[in-house]
Amino acid sequence: MDVKFTVNDEPVDVDVEPRVVLVDLLRGTLGLTGTKVGCDTGQCGTCVVDLDGRSLKSCTLLAVQADGASVTTIEGIAGSDGLDEVQAALWEHHGVQCGFCIPGVVVSLRDLLRRNAAPTEAEIRDWLSGNLCRCTGYHSLVRAAQSLAPAPGEDRR
Ligand code: FES
Ligand code: FES
């Protein structure tokens, strides 16, 4: 099937078999290996990408479902001037240990913070329940996300 979408603002036009999952198209065909595969069964969240403004597990999506969509992977998040604010906060708060979960965590936290600029610890832990991290115990991930809350009176949207 012919599938057309954008990845990190670049147009993509590919011929894929209907059974191909999005993460395999991204990593295999397009060479965007920043998105990881930890389980291939929708459990771990390492494969989370942004699809039309929603963080989704790309191992649970068929590539053909991205037709017409705008996909952002971890490669499209850091600007040429450095880390985006979520990446910088994770770095600052020692949220990156082995790093395997981090591409998915970054995409997930960006989605959460768009919906809720000042999430509570419980809300962050609940949101990240689909992103398995074996290293941090989530403490540093929570601190990083909370550090991005706007100051009183500041509108960050
Ligand atoms: S590889 Fe997709 S959820 Fe684990
Ligand atoms: S930093 Fe190692 S799995 Fe999260």
Side-chain angles (χ1 to χ4, degrees), residues 103-149:
V105 167
V106 169
V107 177
S108 292
L109 284 179
R110 282 165 51 96
D111 189 6
L112 170 62
L113 293 168
R114 280 195 301 266
R115 296 162 191 258
N116 179 356
T120 64
E121 175 176 349
E123 288 169 335
I124 297 165
R125 288 182 179 273
D126 183 55
W127 188 266
L128 290 179
S129 62
N131 295 86
L132 300 186
C133 176
R134 297 174 301 177
C135 302
T136 65
Y138 294 87
H139 302 301
S140 49
L141 307 182
V142 170
R143 280 197 300 271
Q146 290 193 307
S147 76
L148 296 169

Side-chain angles (χ1 to χ4, degrees), residues 36-47 57-60:
K36 305 302 183 203
V37 177
C39 67
D40 234 350
T41 56
Q43 310 292 314
C44 73
T46 61
C47 65
K57 292 173 176 172
S58 59
C59 76
T60 66

